[in-house]
Amino acid sequence: MLGAIRDCERSLDTAALLAEHLRDASPGDHQPSGPPGSTTVPDLHDAAAGWCFYDFGQPARAIRLLRPAVERIAPEARRSRGLFGARLVLAHIAVGDLEAACERGHEVLQALRFAGSASTYGELRDAPPW
């Protein structure tokens, strides 16, 4: 597992470098316009990294990345807020912070109420039974 975490961290670093290169490219460089990735998740790198670290059993590290990433997602981007927010809820549960999990969980349920995201439902449904 340690090797897998290191491989993941290297891949995340590579993705960050590539995203920076694309952001800095001039229009004449035949690069796509705009930043790569989601247009509704401003901190996509941190959101994806937090998601990964939760999967690797490092929920505290996941929270440090996911919390600010989710907070920067616009309220009207309900699907993204719900999806990454659900992963943040699971990380809070994993570290035993039930108060934060309930607070975030309420936000996720509100997002689900309007967005109806099957992916977000799946995140919550497939949560480990702590």
Side-chain angles (χ1 to χ4, degrees):
M1 180 170 223
L2 184 57
I5 292 172
R6 288 187 181 143
D7 288 344
C8 180
E9 288 172 330
R10 275 193 295 276
S11 295
L12 289 165
D13 290 344
T14 300
L17 289 172
L18 290 172
E20 184 177 325
H21 172 73
L22 287 174
R23 274 191 302 274
D24 294 342
S26 66
D29 292 338
H30 303 290
Q31 300 295 332
S33 62
S38 173
T39 60
T40 61
V41 184
D43 294 329
L44 185 57
H45 179 271
D46 287 351
W51 188 289
C52 292
F53 293 129
Y54 173 79
D55 281 342
F56 281 119
Q58 297 183 2
R61 192 174 180 189
I63 291 168
R64 285 193 302 275
L65 293 166
L66 284 168
R67 183 185 307 129
V70 169
E71 288 172 358
R72 289 201 58 218
I73 298 171
E76 56 275 3
R78 291 181 176 118
R79 184 183 183 284
S80 293
R81 283 186 72 88
L83 184 60
F84 288 103
R87 186 51 66 114
L88 180 56
V89 167
L90 298 177
H92 279 299
I93 292 169
V95 298
D97 189 351
L98 299 183
E99 185 174 328
C102 288
E103 181 180 314
R104 294 290 179 170
H106 178 73
E107 294 170 12
V108 171
L109 292 175
Q110 289 297 338
L112 275 173
R113 183 173 161 216
F114 293 101
S117 166
S119 299
T120 303
Y121 277 115
E123 277 298 299
L124 297 175
R125 183 188 59 243
D126 297 337
W130 287 300

